[in-house]
Amino acid sequence: MKSEGCCDIEPIIISSRLVLDGDDSPTTKTRAFTVLTMQCINPQCPNFRGTWENKIEMEIGG
């Protein structure tokens, strides 16, 4: 995963979590997302040590 408009160096993942959407009601489709917190590791980049999140939807089988 490339940094968001930052540079061409691959960032590192510093944390991840699972987020569920629509799990409050039986009539709503439940969607699962992995949210990765990324960090730039390029000292020459203006966003060095800056963080951002990437939200990736996961398929739920059924």
Side-chain angles (χ1 to χ4, degrees), residues 5-45:
C6 180
C7 61
D8 290 328
I9 304 295
E10 292 286 325
I12 60 171
I13 299 170
I14 59 173
S15 69
S16 66
R17 67 184 189 279
L18 178 65
V19 176
L20 298 175
D21 240 2
D23 199 36
D24 301 333
S25 167
T27 60
T28 307
K29 180 181 174 187
T30 300
R31 297 169 63 198
F33 298 89
T34 298
V35 180
L36 303 174
T37 303
M38 314 293 286
Q39 184 176 54
C40 181
I41 58 170
N42 180 0
Q44 279 76 44
C45 180

